[in-house]
Amino acid sequence: MRLLLADDEQELTDALSVILSYNKYSVDVVYDGQDALDYALTGDYDGLILDVMMPKMNGFDVLRALRTEGITTPVIMLTAKSQLQDKIEGLDAGADDYLPKPFETEELLARSRAMTRRGGEVFTPDVLTLGDLTLNRKTFELSCGAESITLANKEFQMMEMMMSNPKVIVSTDHFMDHIWGYDSDSEINVVWAYISYLRRKLQSIGSTVELKALRGRGYILEDKNA
């Protein structure tokens, strides 16, 4: 399951991201409303967790903009505000749930599970397939026949992105922006390193699917037997 987590409290947000990732969610993190809107409009998410009070654009406005664009991804509003009127505003804007701060992480996990169950029918399946290759979005397992290997979080996100859009060339910049984040301090060569890791893992399970580089354009998965 892939989530977008948007909150300007960076220390809290990073900690929640670690907890969600440990619980087998693939998590993109942003720290302001404009980035939240940009990511949510272009990403394939199973759920969004939006703080209300964010710079550039508040969570209510992000949610209204998404619903206006026809984005039906389920949303939990995450905020320090707990007054009834704030809850009503969030629900009227199109939120599916409302969780005031402070909260227990177990409650956020439970609400996230409920949110993704409610929205599950409109998103990509739990298992993605390309040629003889399958990717389990719940367990992060990449499999070919009887052979399988568990991917690290960012490896999984890269493979998920390519298998969800098998005919789309994914640029290095797109990987950087949508997996490491606009504000990441990581150098662009981190993408090349992860591409190398994925190629070795494809070879280790004997898949006929290749991760090909198209000079100056990006990367794409191709089945040699197709």
Side-chain angles (χ1 to χ4, degrees), residues 151 155 190 192-202:
L151 300 180
E155 292 173 339
V190 72
W192 306 334
Y194 274 84
I195 290 292
S196 178
Y197 301 155
L198 288 173
R199 282 176 171 154
R200 290 201 294 268
K201 291 184 176 182
L202 286 170

Side-chain angles (χ1 to χ4, degrees), residues 154-155 158 172 175-176 179-180 184-197 219:
K154 285 185 168 54
E155 292 173 339
M158 293 175 73
T172 301
F175 280 132
M176 285 296 298
I179 296 178
W180 277 267
S184 172
D185 293 329
S186 299
E187 300 290 339
I188 202 166
N189 58 9
V190 72
V191 174
W192 306 334
Y194 274 84
I195 290 292
S196 178
Y197 301 155
Y219 301 91

Side-chain angles (χ1 to χ4, degrees), residues 24-205:
K24 301 300 184 182
Y25 289 99
S26 174
V27 186
D28 290 343
V29 174
V30 295
Y31 306 107
D32 66 66
Q34 186 60 59
D35 280 351
L37 179 61
D38 291 342
Y39 270 62
L41 286 172
T42 60
D44 176 23
Y45 294 103
D46 297 287
L48 311 177
I49 302 173
L50 302 178
D51 185 37
V52 171
M53 301 303 293
M54 292 187 288
K56 298 186 180 179
M57 196 173 189
N58 71 50
F60 293 143
D61 289 340
V62 172
L63 181 54
R64 291 189 189 96
L66 292 173
R67 297 305 188 231
T68 298
E69 291 295 322
I71 304 296
T72 60
T73 309
V75 173
I76 297 174
M77 300 302 296
L78 193 66
T79 178
K81 294 185 174 183
S82 59
Q83 288 83 2
L84 177 60
Q85 187 56 43
D86 294 315
K87 294 181 180 179
I88 292 171
E89 183 177 356
L91 294 171
D92 284 347
D96 296 80
D97 203 352
Y98 200 103
L99 183 60
K101 301 175 183 176
F103 54 84
E104 297 293 334
T105 54
E106 290 82 359
E107 183 177 6
L108 176 62
L109 289 169
R111 288 176 184 255
S112 297
R113 289 192 295 270
M115 171 179 65
T116 53
R117 282 197 300 271
R118 287 195 298 272
E121 70 273 13
V122 300
F123 300 107
T124 55
D126 289 337
V127 177
L128 302 175
T129 303
L130 178 62
D132 62 2
L133 192 66
T134 62
L135 179 67
N136 189 309
R137 298 174 74 223
K138 287 187 174 180
T139 65
F140 288 23
E141 279 191 318
L142 187 67
S143 304
C144 175
E147 300 294 326
S148 66
I149 192 167
T150 301
L151 300 180
N153 187 43
K154 285 185 168 54
E155 292 173 339
F156 166 78
Q157 290 185 63
M158 293 175 73
M159 187 60 69
E160 181 192 39
M161 188 180 292
M162 290 183 288
M163 289 185 69
S164 297
N165 305 280
K167 297 182 180 179
V168 175
I169 299 168
V170 183
S171 70
T172 301
D173 286 343
H174 191 80
F175 280 132
M176 285 296 298
D177 290 345
H178 290 269
I179 296 178
W180 277 267
Y182 292 114
D183 298 324
S184 172
D185 293 329
S186 299
E187 300 290 339
I188 202 166
N189 58 9
V190 72
V191 174
W192 306 334
Y194 274 84
I195 290 292
S196 178
Y197 301 155
L198 288 173
R199 282 176 171 154
R200 290 201 294 268
K201 291 184 176 182
L202 286 170
Q203 292 172 359
S204 73
I205 60 176

